[in-house]
Every structure is written in C-alpha cells, then in structure tokens.
Amino acid sequence: MGWGDIYKRRVRVFTMALIVYLDYKGVQQREKWTSKSRQAALWEKAHERNAKRVLNLIIEMEGLWVKLGQYMSTRADVLPAAYIRLLKQLQDSLPPRPLEEVYGTIQKELGKSMDELFADFVNEPLATASIAQVHRATLLNGLEVVVKVQHDGIKTIILEDLKNAKSIVDWIAWAEPQYNFNPMIDEWCKEAPKELDFNHEAENTRTVAKNLGCRNQYDGNMSANRVDVLIPDVIQSTEKVLVLEYMDGIRLNDLESLDAYGVDKQKLVEEITRAYAHQIYVDGFFNGDPHPGNFLVSKESPHRPILLDFGLTKKLSSTIKQALAKMFLASAEGDHVALLSAFAEMGLKLRLDIPEQAMEVTTVFFRATTPANEYHKTMKSLADQRDRNMKVIQEKMNLDKKEMKRFNPVDAFPGDIVIFGRVLNLLRGLSSTMNVRIVYMDIMRPFAESVLSGYISKGPSLNDRWIFDSPVHSDVESKLRQLLIEMGNNDKILGIQVCAYKDGEAIIDTAAGVLGKYDPRPVQPDSLFPVFSVTKGITAGMIHWLVDNGQLNLEENVATIWPAFRSNGKDVIKVHHVLNHTSGLHNAMGGIAQEDPLLMLDWDGCLNRICQSIPETEPGKEQFYHYLSFGWLCGGIIEHASGKKFQEILEEAIVRPLHIEGELYVGIPPGVESRLAALTVDTAELSKISALANRADLPSTFQPQQIAQLATTLPVAFNTLNVRRAIIPAANGHVSARALARYYAALADGGKIPPPHSSASKPVLGSHPHIPKLSSSQKPPIKNRKCIGRRTQATSPSVSTTNSYEKVSSHEDFDANEGRNTNSESSSGGDDSSSRIGNNLRTHVARKVYKNPRIIDEFLGTGEYENLALPGESFGLGFKRFSSKDGSSIAFGHSGMGGSTGFCDVTNNFSVAVTLNKMSFGGVTGKIVQLVCSELNIPVPDDFLRFAVEQSGPDEQLSMGRPIIN
C-alpha cells in the first residue's frame, strides 16, 4: 500500500464520518418542524440511509473497519434495526478473494501443491470475514476439514487502520473529553495484530478447548461450573493458514434454520454466556470476539454451541481475574467497599469520590440483556441515567456547563478490562439479536464466586497467614489464637479482631481472617468493622462527658435543652430517662426499616421524627430497649446541649484523648474505604433465632422475627457507602477492636487514660490522625441557659475542631498490592496544616476522660445515681449491666447485632472488645469472652457464659433466647 492509497483511505473515512454526522444533525433540525406522527418515519429513513453508507464504506475499506461493523451489528440492544439488518452480513458474508490468491497463499505457507494437500477443495468459501476466508476441504486421509486463509496484504491494511482509528479517537478525546476512548483503542492496538498470526490462533484454540473440557460426545455431566460447548480440533497451522476439523452446524444468525431444528435459543445463548464466564473467571483466558459469525450450532441434539475463531484472546493475571470477579460480585451484592477495592486492584481510578455513581454504572454494566425491539427504551434509560450521574458530578465539582463538557471522571482506565467490556457488550448484543433475555447476575455468579472461593475459603487449615502476623502479647493470646483457628476451620469466622486490656496494658491484640465474603484481603489491627449497637456505648459516653464538663445535667428535662422535643407529652422526659431506656420512646423509629431504611441517613429528618413521636409508656416506669431511637435521642441532646456537631464531640471527648484517631468513627469519612470490613450472615444461627418466642423486655417492633429479618437485610444496607457514611448514633459505629478495648479500658479505670497502646501492633494505634468531614446536621446555635442542679466543673482542656478542617480522599487512596491507604489518613494529601493541627491537639489531652470520682456509679445508675435508673433492670445509664453468677465483679458495656461487643470489668480493671463481620448471635463472641476471662480468673458475664458450651435441643433454644444484641 503506497502513500497515495493511505491518504485516499484516510480521506474516505473522515469524509464519510462528516457526511453521516451532518445528515443526523440535519434530521435533528427537521424534526422540530415535523409532526409527531411522522417523526419516527423521518428517523427510520435516516438510519436506513446512513447504515447503507456505512456498510458500503466498510466493504470498500475492509480491514479493521469490518471488525467495527461486526461489533456494531451485534448491538441490537442499542442500535436501530437498519444498522443491525445491513451490517450483520459483515459477520461472514464479505465478497470473497480471488481463488488464485487463496491457492497461492496455501501453497506458499504449507510448501506443497493443492493436489499434494487435499483430496478435495471446495472453491466456494463457507464464509469471508475481515481477515480471512474459510473453505471446506478433504485431506488425503479422508478427514473433512476447513481451511482458513488470510487475505493477502491484510496485515498492512489493519495496521494502517489502527493508526487512523487512533487519530479519530484522539480527536474525539480533544473535542469531547468525557468521551475519551483512548484506553480502548490502545488495548485494541496492542491485541489486534495478534490475530494476524494463525499459529497464535491455533495455540489459543487448543488452550480454550482444554480449559473448557470440550468433548465431541455429550456426556451429560453438568456440574455447576461445567460448560457444554464444542471447539474444532486444530490439524495444522502456519502464520497465514489454519486447518481445523470440520463441524457441521447452523449459523447463529440463521434464525429460520434454528427454529426448523427446534433449537432452544434461550438455552443456547445461556450456554454461550456460561462458556465465556468460565473463560473469564475460571481460566483467565478468553476469546475477545464473540460476534455471531464466530459461532455455529450443532444440528444434532442437544444442539450445542460451536465456538470458532480464537485469534483475539486475552490472558488475565490472577490479580485482575480476582478483581473482575470481585467487581461482579460487589455489584450483585451492592457492596461499595468491595467494588472500590476491585477498582483499585485492576488499576481503575476515579477523579472524585462518587461511590454511589460507581456502583450504579457497574450495575448497569452487568445488567440483564434486553430484546432488540426494546432498544429505544434501553437507549433512553441509559441516556437518562448518564445525565443524572453527570449532574451529580457537576454539582459535586461545582463545574459550569463548559467545564463539565470537558470533565472526565475517570483518571486511569486499565487496558485489561477493555476487552472484557467488549466481550460483555458483544454477548449482550448477541442475546438481543436472538431475542432472548440473559440475566448475567444469575448465570455468571457461580463462576465469579469460584474465583474468590479459593482465596476466601482458605481457612486456617489452608492459609498459614490466616492469623495476622503480629506479636503475641501473652499466654492467653496464644490460647485465644488456637480457639480462633478452631472456629475458623469450622467456618464460624470470616474476619475478626480481639483486643483486651488488663490493668491498663494491652494483653491481646489479634486480627484474623478476611475483610469480606468477596474481599480476600486480610483483616489487620486497624481494619474498621461495623459494630451496630456497640455504638450506643460510645454515644452514651459522649453524654456523660458533657455532664462531666458542666454542659448537661442528667435530671434536666430534654425539652429544656431541645425545645422542639417538647410536643406530644414529652416535656417530662429527662436525660436520665433516655440513657436508662425508660423514656417510653422505644418504638419511636420502629417503622423506619419497613417504611424506608434510607430514611435513617437523614440526620435532621430523624431528629424531627423523634420530636414528633409520642411516648408509649410513662417516662421512668418501664424499661424497653430503645434499639434505634436511643441514638437520635442522644444525638439531639448532644448537639443542642453543646452547640456543636455530633462528630465534633466524639473527637473531642473520646477519639483524641484516647489517641485512637482513624479507628473509631460513627459514620465514616471518605478516605478510609480500604480498611472497611464487609458484613455477611451466619445463616445457621439466623435460622435458630427466627424460631424463638417473643421477649417481654424488647419493644413490640423488635421481637425475634423482626430481628431475624433485620439480620438478613442489614448487611446489604450497611455494606453500601452511603449508609456507612451516615450518622446513625445507635448503630453506625465503625471501629477497630483495639480502639474499642482502649475506650473501655479507660471507663474501667474511672476515666483514666491508659498508657499508650502496645507499639508492637502495626500500624501503631492512632497513626491515622484524621479530622472527619462533619456532616450530621447544620450547626445548632449554642444556647445561653442555666441548668438547675448541674454540677459546676471546669471544662476539659481539649481543643475542639470545626468544619474548617477535613480531609476528603477518594479511591486513589487504595494501594491494591498492600490493601491499605498509601496517601493514608496520616497525612493531608500534601497540605500538612491539618497534620500540625492534629499534633497540637494531642499535646492538650487531659489525663482523664472524666473527672467525676463517682463516674462508674454514674454509668451504672448506682450509688448516688440509683434514683435515676429503674431498679433491678438490665440497663444503667446508657450501658448494659453485665452480671455474673457469683456477683463478685462490676461490669458493663454494650454489644451489637451480629456479635461484636465491648465491655469492661471494673473490679478487675479489665476490658475486652470483639469485632467480627460474619454476623452471628453470640456463639463466637461468647466462646472468646469465656476463654479470655477464664484464663485471667475473671468472672464470665452471664450474657456470654451461656454460649461457652455447645448445646442442643431445648437447652439450645434457651441459650438463644437472649442473643447478644444489646
């Protein structure tokens, strides 16, 4: 091909592109002046006219443009019918090359004359495609074969077309930055030339056939991940000639013949989809060109798909294969954390923090296919969704229309997923052409799960690193690790952390397992676990801190602090009623989960709902667990009493004094996603609780049946980032066990801050100084009011934060190799001002969190505070009282749904915390607490003792009667 031909080729392509573009712009203008009844016909004529132009140009140009036409011909889900009807002939019906050229290539490549090679050679080609044409033949030994012969000079044409395509894409990226297809064309430029070597295709064919376990005879073996397809045997190959076994089949686009043979098209396309799921997820080696011309269907029952043409294949590394599986399963589960982790592992980077939009786009990517006749509806839905997403980005980035036009939210697009995306779109188009509906989430899921099961299901018996490699602090920790290994081998633990303090020093700090069902990264000491109602113990500590600092009085009416709370007879409810679960508002938020769980994300809306609620019982008379309302009752009191945001008080009262920055949040900030554990449910224990009778001590909206339902639905909700980021002060704590244990170690010692946590734990506790984004509500005004009976005490010498200091990170914080934040919360993304502020704050920390010498009595509602708590009940003032058989110790704390817990034994100056992500109802936690306490000769609280020994029959039901949920 001379330079003149190259120039003419370029001019023809760009001229045709301009003509088609101007034609459609003209139709857009004419549509404005055309009646609605004639608009459809106007567009149909335009599609027919331009589809013919495109087809004629492709036939004239051949080469790469045929590949493009083949791809377009499969997208019946998004392209008008005229394009599909005309372009589908490009799949295998191009004008054939002269026989002289075909014979010459065969004889030159195989080194023999036609008579020395074949007993018979059919001159009429079976098919002619972009790179080669295929003839049927019979070898001298009688074997029937097909001979694939590469077009003469096609290599030069393909390479030149790639350059032209690259130029067009570069121009589009400059003119319309949001349509930057460079990653796709770059990957194509890298992979397409491989199709020009038929030795490469021969080896690929053998590899895929071996991977799929293809057999010529149907054996009826259909295991979960077994596929039933056929692939021809390779007989001989050179660079430009490929000889394959002949298989008699029906063309996939010959719908009439398929119907005549009684082929089940739905089952056929499902099996093709399964074959590709196997290639991608199981083998990591897949054909990148599944257009209809590359398939046949066997004529004999059970009409198996015959896979052809393995010139364009893609090999995935083990890391990318896992990441693609994780992306798929994260999309199926709505797990934002696993999705962002998958993005990081495959090298996909976004320019801003848009997890909800990322999940939405991924879900669309794996959506079920639609028939061709729904393409208008599909296109409108996709366009509307894109407009919504871009509007969110525009508002988030504060961009004007001109800036938005040039903004691309993707910072880095990995080449490895380009061919993957192309395959998925080709399969989608294939199913639309066949007029069937394929649910990818159902068909591909077993294959994706099999990829990760080999890593996630590697319990302690198979994974010598299941226990995170950290120093052993004591003999009891050694014994605990043996127990964790035992339970891990019995599939009772997915991921877990255990930390314990004795006499102010850490004696246990163990992490084990993985971060999630679809996230095989190891749990580390600074991983963050959602702990549900464990959060209540933290929120209660904030209330007591305000009391300790003279900003609140336990006997004060809530309505005095929070005027809007006064309505509906709530003016007599006092602060201690709220802490003691005796306010009568135990069902105040009870219907929110059934009505709309996302209402919990609206801080101001939930506070307003509390204000409008009506007490069901007289305040102070009956104790019912305030499972949801407790948090917002306390949250409203905290913000109105302090005049500060909830998170400001959390930082000031607890996080900074205890040096646990970055490991205790109520509502996570952006930037910590890489450390989050994802929840799953222990279905065996769930089945037990659903059969229990009602409990008189629980609200009517929080009985075993509702608990079982919540346990099923909450993991899905709390694995999404919009829920994790919300301020839900009764349920949305995200903590490490070592931060939680340190908190209770301080409470056990009357508020005295323990010595620094063991430096043997890596990273060091508190090495994530992080001032979170404060988003709970608008800052309430500081009230100038006098609280009668309030103890007059000096304010704790802590420096409060304001909304001015916040760090907002994005997915770029992920390091896929280490599974950690590389930008890290320990810095502020290049601006060290907030780091300096964090360091200065540390220098102002008091030695005690609480100054009241009788603070333990205050927590428990005993001693001089006895009249503030209902006698003989399980709750003190914000904390669960833990009793033991011998009654020899004073213990309190709070557990959460799923089994996480934190508590302290004041008598023995002991605290322990357990965080886990496989939600159970006490079995795992109970055995851990029983072992640790027994080894230390500390009484085991009754709440945990009943789980110490495996039980069965009626006794088991008795032990499950009070699962660890409060």
Side-chain angles (χ1 to χ4, degrees), residues 157 236 341 389 491 504 537 552 561 613 684 712 733 758 885 893 898 928:
I157 294 173
Q236 187 177 3
S341 172
N389 289 340
D491 197 29
L552 189 62
I561 309 160
S613 62
T712 304
S758 170
K885 285 186 176 180
I928 291 170

Side-chain angles (χ1 to χ4, degrees), residues 553-616:
N553 191 298
L554 292 172
E555 297 187 69
E556 188 172 6
N557 289 335
V558 175
T560 305
I561 309 160
W562 183 4
F565 182 80
R566 187 179 304 276
S567 64
N568 297 323
K570 297 194 296 297
D571 53 320
V572 296
I573 296 176
K574 299 181 183 296
V575 173
H576 67 84
H577 293 146
V578 170
L579 290 174
N580 193 228
H581 296 264
T582 56
S583 74
L585 299 175
H586 39 278
N587 284 320
M589 308 295 290
I592 198 169
Q594 291 75 30
E595 183 181 337
D596 181 2
L598 294 184
L599 292 175
M600 289 190 293
L601 313 189
D602 182 357
W603 174 267
D604 292 322
C606 288
L607 292 186
N608 289 336
R609 191 163 178 143
I610 289 290
C611 290
Q612 296 164 12
S613 62
I614 303 172
E616 294 184 30

Side-chain angles (χ1 to χ4, degrees), residues 541-782:
M542 296 162 65
I543 291 277
H544 287 287
W545 185 84
L546 290 174
V547 172
D548 202 61
N549 284 277
Q551 296 177 264
L552 189 62
N553 191 298
L554 292 172
E555 297 187 69
E556 188 172 6
N557 289 335
V558 175
T560 305
I561 309 160
W562 183 4
F565 182 80
R566 187 179 304 276
S567 64
N568 297 323
K570 297 194 296 297
D571 53 320
V572 296
I573 296 176
K574 299 181 183 296
V575 173
H576 67 84
H577 293 146
V578 170
L579 290 174
N580 193 228
H581 296 264
T582 56
S583 74
L585 299 175
H586 39 278
N587 284 320
M589 308 295 290
I592 198 169
Q594 291 75 30
E595 183 181 337
D596 181 2
L598 294 184
L599 292 175
M600 289 190 293
L601 313 189
D602 182 357
W603 174 267
D604 292 322
C606 288
L607 292 186
N608 289 336
R609 191 163 178 143
I610 289 290
C611 290
Q612 296 164 12
S613 62
I614 303 172
E616 294 184 30
T617 58
E618 183 181 348
K621 298 299 183 183
E622 294 183 75
Q623 188 175 89
F624 289 100
Y625 180 47
H626 289 36
Y627 64 104
L628 272 180
S629 54
F630 181 89
W632 284 296
L633 283 164
C634 290
I637 292 170
I638 288 167
E639 290 204 340
H640 286 82
S642 67
K644 296 180 180 180
K645 287 178 175 282
F646 180 89
Q647 290 139 304
E648 287 184 273
I649 299 302
L650 176 62
E651 290 279 309
E652 189 174 351
I654 296 172
V655 173
R656 289 199 307 272
L658 292 173
H659 295 185
I660 53 177
E661 290 93 335
E663 296 192 32
L664 190 152
Y665 295 105
V666 178
I668 62 165
V672 302
E673 292 87 355
S674 67
R675 295 191 284 123
L676 295 179
L679 296 164
T680 189
V681 176
D682 187 331
T683 53
E685 288 208 17
L686 179 64
S687 64
K688 297 174 185 176
I689 194 172
S690 62
L692 298 178
N694 287 346
R695 282 176 49 182
D697 60 317
L698 292 177
S700 59
T701 56
F702 196 61
Q703 291 297 320
Q705 290 295 331
Q706 287 91 351
I707 295 170
Q709 182 181 359
L710 283 172
T712 304
T713 58
L714 284 180
V716 176
F718 276 78
N719 283 339
T720 62
L721 280 185
N722 58 334
V723 174
R724 288 176 182 260
R725 289 178 176 176
I727 311 303
I728 309 174
N732 205 21
H734 284 75
V735 305
S736 66
R738 61 185 187 174
L740 185 61
R742 185 169 176 79
Y743 170 64
Y744 275 104
L747 301 193
D749 204 9
K752 182 179 178 182
I753 297 172
H757 187 83
S758 170
S759 61
S761 293
K762 302 295 181 185
V764 174
L765 178 60
S767 62
H768 295 284
H770 189 102
I771 300 173
K773 185 176 182 180
L774 308 176
S775 59
S776 60
S777 68
Q778 295 299 315
K779 188 172 182 178
I782 298 177

Side-chain angles (χ1 to χ4, degrees), residues 819-869:
R820 320 200 46 75
N821 280 16
T822 51
N823 283 357
S824 181
E825 301 113 293
S826 61
S827 67
S828 298
D831 178 5
D832 63 357
S833 59
S834 53
S835 291
R836 290 195 301 269
I837 291 166
N839 291 334
N840 290 338
L841 290 172
R842 279 173 164 257
T843 65
H844 291 85
V845 171
R847 292 186 177 181
K848 293 193 70 173
V849 179
Y850 304 99
K851 298 176 291 296
N852 179 8
R854 291 173 294 281
I855 191 67
I856 301 297
D857 286 340
E858 186 178 319
F859 293 151
L860 291 168
T862 57
E864 67 177 74
Y865 302 91
E866 188 174 5
N867 63 320
L868 305 183

